[in-house]
């Protein structure tokens, strides 16, 4: 199981959002850290085939990102997502399951299983518009797991989760990372410090750090200090 | 093994916890839904108002014919009303972007292009069926030739189609739906005022035919663009900037 990103580049007119990023991801949890505007979302969108790169390629086990087989192996949760107004939690998951190629029977079964996993069984038949931010976020996580993906890409998945949910989510992710490639982006260091096998730090469209936490931290003592070293000024200005 | 002994062993020892259960489940191939299943599933997600409006349109024509209205007036009113049919279909086609579902849908096995194609097919079939029923009923009663009737009846419909698809292909966000709404109203009013059977505005006799062919060609070109385009929406940088 290998996801290869080769010199991936995205340029918007005079701004280079992602600049020749090359990575090889094997199973495990990868934490993508970076300040707002570092290029995390653009990189993830290209890895999901939502954006056509200006240059470079993305392949999973030799399958190109544009192919249906690639999307079949992909689970994605965007930073911001919507839902059709009349959807219930169960209806939303069944709809997403139909797009992911699950049969009707399997879709119902899997949706119920995932609602249980994200603790939304009680509100399965309630309209999503009545949900809190954290509940919507959990539903987003559930939909990304519908097809039992081999590549799981989560863009700021912990936004809106309360501390208890955050811990639960981290535990869930640790389990999921055992047999698939999980990439999650965040700008909250504590979200990935304990669970990420590999930390990638992105700045100005480039990966400036890539390695296990203790390898990249070295004399900075903690990941947070390393992060502040790279982004301190930007965070203060933001 | 002796059944009794088997039961006794089961009672005496707990079954060991499963090993590598997650890996096994991940490698397990569940039967996947076919493209046909996907298409059928999409049928259920078309909003009811599309079906209701089609049924109402056919019913209204039947009632009007029953009460012996002037056939030319019925054709004229129907033709002027059809652009709103287009608007209904367009709101359905554009709902992924309107409700911010496009990004999620694009990452799925059946991507946004497949969804758009399925919706276009379903809405096209509903509109097509309605149009066939109207044509079958009205063209016979009106005594016009089939082609003349088609031009008279469907030119405003095609004009609304090409304007709306043009707007969907070029504008972003919810404002494009307002543009589509405006285009449908505009075409409807034009049809009411200019193409009416009372010849209020004198027209060149071939104008409607030219408009028909032009709108048909333009609609087809815009429809093709609409189906293949969702690949690369210019996601704005505002999320990350």
């Amino acid at each position: 199981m290998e996801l290869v990103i080769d010199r991936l580049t995205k340029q918007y007119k005079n701004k280079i959002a992602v600049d020749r990023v090359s990575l090889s991801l094997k199973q495990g949890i990868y934490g993508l850290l970076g300040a707002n505007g570092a290029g995390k979302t653009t990189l993830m969108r290209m890895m999901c085939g939502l954006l056509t790169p200006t240059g470079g390629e993305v392949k999973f086990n030799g399958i190109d990102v544009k192919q249906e087989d690639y999307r079949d192996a992909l689970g994605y949760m965007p930073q911001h997502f919507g839902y059709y107004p009349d959807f219930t939690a169960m209806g939303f998951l069944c709809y997403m399951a139909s797009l992911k190629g699950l049969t009707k029977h399997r879709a119902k079964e899997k949706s119920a299983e995932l609602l249980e996993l994200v603790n939304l069984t009680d509100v399965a038949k309630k309209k999503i518009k009545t949900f809190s931010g954290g509940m919507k976020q959990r539903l987003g996580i559930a939909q990304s797991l519908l097809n039992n993906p081999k590549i799981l890409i989560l863009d700021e998945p912990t936004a809106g989760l309360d501390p208890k949910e955050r811990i639960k989510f981290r535990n869930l992710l640790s389990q999921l990372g055992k047999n698939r490639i999980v990439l999650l982006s965040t700008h909250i260091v504590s979200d990935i410090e304990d669970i990420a096998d590999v930390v990638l730090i992105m700045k100005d469209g480039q990966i400036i750090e890539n390695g296990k936490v203790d390898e990249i931290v070295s004399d900075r003592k903690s990941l947070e200090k390393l992060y502040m070293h790279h982004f301190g000024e930007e965070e203060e200005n933001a | 093994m002796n059944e009794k002994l088997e039961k006794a062993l089961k009672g005496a020892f707990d079954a060991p916890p499963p090993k590598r259960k997650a890996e096994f489940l991940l490698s397990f191939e569940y039967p996947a839904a076919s493209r046909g299943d996907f298409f059928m599933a999409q049928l259920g997600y078309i909003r009811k108002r599309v079906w209701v409006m089609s049924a109402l349109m056919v019913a209204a024509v039947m009632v009007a014919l029953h009460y012996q209205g002037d056939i030319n007036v019925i054709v004229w009113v129907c033709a002027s009303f059809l652009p709103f049919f287009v608007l209904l279909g367009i709101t359905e086609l554009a709902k992924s972007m309107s409700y911010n579902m496009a990004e999620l849908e694009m990452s799925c096995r059946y991507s946004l292009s497949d969804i758009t194609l399925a919706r276009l097919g379903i809405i096209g079939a509903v509109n097509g069926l309605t149009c066939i029923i109207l044509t079958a009923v009205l063209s016979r009663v009106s005594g016009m030739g089939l082609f003349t009737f088609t031009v008279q009846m469907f030119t405003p419909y095609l004009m609304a189609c090409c304007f709306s698809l043009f707007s969907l292909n070029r504008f972003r966000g919810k404002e494009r739906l307002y543009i589509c709404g405006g285009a449908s109203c505009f075409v409807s009013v034009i049809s009411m005022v200019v193409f009416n059977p009372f010849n209020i505005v004198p027209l060149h006799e071939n104008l409607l035919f030219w408009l028909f062919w032009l709108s048909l060609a333009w609609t087809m070109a815009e429809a093709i663009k609409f189906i293949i385009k969702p690949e690369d929406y210019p996601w704005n940088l505002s999320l990350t900037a």
Side-chain angles (χ1 to χ4, degrees), chain B residues 199-241:
Chain B
N199 293 323
I200 299 170
V201 182
L203 292 175
H204 186 277
E205 59 177 324
N206 285 334
L207 178 71
L208 213 54
F209 288 94
W210 284 112
L211 275 176
F212 177 81
W213 288 117
L214 185 71
S215 307
L216 184 65
W218 193 5
T219 300
M220 284 167 77
E222 292 293 342
I224 292 167
K225 199 179 273 183
F226 185 72
I227 293 163
I228 39 186
K229 201 172 64 90
E231 285 290 291
D232 200 7
Y233 280 109
W235 300 105
N236 61 59
L237 283 171
S238 63
L239 291 177
T240 51

Side-chain angles (χ1 to χ4, degrees), chain B:
Chain B
M1 193 186 285
N2 182 318
E3 208 174 303
K4 232 176 173 181
L5 181 63
E6 199 177 327
K7 269 188 183 168
L9 280 170
K10 269 187 189 169
F13 300 101
D14 288 332
K19 284 180 186 170
R20 295 163 52 84
K21 185 182 171 188
E23 287 96 318
F24 170 73
L25 287 177
L26 195 62
S27 67
F28 194 81
E29 294 280 339
Y30 287 98
S34 66
R35 207 160 273 272
D37 294 333
F38 158 74
F39 189 84
M40 291 307 286
Q42 280 298 309
L43 260 178
Y45 295 108
I46 299 288
R47 280 175 282 196
K48 286 186 190 78
R49 61 188 188 193
V50 174
W51 313 105
V52 171
M53 279 292 281
S54 302
L56 278 179
M57 180 84 174
V58 173
V61 168
M62 296 302 176
V63 170
L65 276 177
H66 181 73
Y67 288 103
Q68 300 263 316
D70 181 347
I71 185 68
N72 287 324
V73 173
I74 295 176
V75 172
W76 168 56
V77 171
C78 276
S80 304
F81 190 70
L82 280 176
F84 295 105
F85 241 62
V86 175
L87 182 62
L88 205 63
I90 290 291
T91 54
E92 200 62 30
L93 279 180
K95 72 176 180 183
S96 297
M97 287 304 272
S98 308
Y99 292 107
N100 203 13
M101 280 284 283
E103 198 173 355
L104 268 183
E105 291 175 341
M106 280 172 88
S107 68
C108 294
R109 181 180 158 195
Y110 294 113
S111 190
L112 190 58
S113 299
D114 298 301
I115 301 167
T116 306
L117 202 60
R119 284 181 192 157
L120 207 59
I122 295 164
I123 292 161
V126 176
N127 284 5
L129 190 68
T130 312
C131 292
I132 287 170
I133 295 172
L134 293 178
T135 307
V137 174
L138 292 176
S139 72
R140 206 156 44 91
V141 182
S142 69
M144 294 180 210
L146 185 64
F147 181 64
T148 312
F149 173 81
T150 307
V151 169
Q152 200 104 354
M153 181 81 169
F154 298 113
T155 301
Y157 175 83
L158 286 172
M159 282 169 71
C161 274
C162 61
F163 288 152
S164 300
L165 285 169
F166 176 85
S167 127
L168 286 189
N169 284 335
R170 278 155 192 85
F171 299 99
R172 305 275 142 229
K174 279 202 168 170
E175 65 268 25
R176 62 192 189 155
L177 287 182
Y178 301 133
I179 297 172
C180 291
S184 295
C185 290
F186 172 73
V187 174
S188 182
V189 169
I190 290 284
S191 173
M192 280 280 185
V193 176
V194 183
F195 304 146
N196 69 40
F198 310 115
N199 293 323
I200 299 170
V201 182
L203 292 175
H204 186 277
E205 59 177 324
N206 285 334
L207 178 71
L208 213 54
F209 288 94
W210 284 112
L211 275 176
F212 177 81
W213 288 117
L214 185 71
S215 307
L216 184 65
W218 193 5
T219 300
M220 284 167 77
E222 292 293 342
I224 292 167
K225 199 179 273 183
F226 185 72
I227 293 163
I228 39 186
K229 201 172 64 90
E231 285 290 291
D232 200 7
Y233 280 109
W235 300 105
N236 61 59
L237 283 171
S238 63
L239 291 177
T240 51

Side-chain angles (χ1 to χ4, degrees), chain A:
Chain A
M1 194 186 288
E2 190 180 21
L3 181 65
V4 178
I5 299 167
D6 186 21
R7 286 164 290 169
L8 203 61
T9 305
K10 185 71 189 179
Q11 185 170 359
Y12 295 100
K13 288 180 184 162
N14 55 356
K15 182 181 164 77
I16 299 177
V18 174
D19 191 5
R20 286 161 296 160
V21 168
S22 291
L23 291 168
S24 170
L25 312 183
K26 296 200 171 72
Q27 68 184 47
I29 302 175
Y30 293 79
L32 181 61
L33 267 178
N36 291 332
K40 304 186 298 287
T41 298
T42 306
L43 174 66
M44 288 183 145
R45 281 175 175 165
M46 284 194 285
M47 289 172 73
C48 294
L50 309 182
L51 267 182
T52 309
T54 315
E57 57 180 23
V58 181
K59 282 185 174 177
F60 172 64
N61 291 345
I63 307 166
D64 190 77
V65 68
K66 287 278 170 206
Q67 288 177 259
E68 191 178 302
D69 285 346
Y70 181 98
R71 292 197 301 274
D72 202 20
L74 175 73
Y76 173 55
M77 183 194 161
Q79 190 177 3
H80 303 282
F81 65 94
Y83 49 87
Y84 298 133
D86 49 344
F87 269 161
T88 61
M90 188 60 152
F92 173 74
L93 288 185
C94 285
Y95 173 72
M96 291 307 296
S98 77
L99 305 187
K100 287 171 187 257
L102 272 70
T103 58
K104 212 172 174 181
H105 176 72
R106 178 79 190 130
K108 276 187 184 163
E109 213 174 65
K110 190 74 186 171
S111 301
E113 191 184 302
L114 287 169
L115 284 172
E116 175 81 48
L117 185 75
V118 295
N119 213 8
L120 289 174
T121 307
D122 297 344
V123 290
K125 286 184 181 163
K126 289 231 167 98
K127 293 256 169 93
I128 305 176
K129 62 185 170 194
T130 63
F131 284 15
S132 68
M135 287 160 92
K136 283 180 194 159
Q137 205 71 0
R138 280 186 276 152
L139 193 62
I141 294 163
Q143 71 73 30
S144 69
L145 297 171
L146 276 165
N147 54 335
N148 218 350
K150 294 185 177 75
I151 312 164
L152 185 60
I153 297 180
L154 308 164
D155 196 358
E156 305 271 1
T158 52
L161 297 185
D162 64 35
K164 198 175 145 196
E165 286 167 342
R166 233 168 243 253
I167 293 166
K168 211 179 161 200
F169 173 70
R170 268 183 238 161
N171 294 338
L172 170 66
L173 223 52
S174 303
Q175 287 298 314
L176 294 171
K178 282 178 185 164
N179 42 35
R180 69 195 85 208
I181 298 164
V182 180
L183 176 68
L184 76 145
S185 85
T186 181
H187 56 266
I188 303 164
V189 178
S190 60
D191 276 350
I192 57 165
E193 199 162 25
D194 300 327
I195 55 162
D197 299 308
V198 175
V199 173
L200 308 163
I201 299 184
M202 203 169 178
K203 188 178 183 182
D204 298 330
Q206 292 183 322
I207 301 288
I208 53 168
E209 300 277 2
N210 176 1
K212 290 183 178 167
V213 177
D214 21 329
E215 282 171 14
I216 62 168
V217 164
S218 60
D219 55 336
R220 297 269 171 208
K221 288 184 183 164
S222 75
L223 191 58
E224 192 151 8
K225 281 188 177 156
L226 179 71
Y227 182 84
M228 288 309 285
H229 166 70
H230 288 303
F231 300 104
E233 273 179 31
E234 286 177 36
E235 294 283 291
E236 278 164 25
N237 292 338

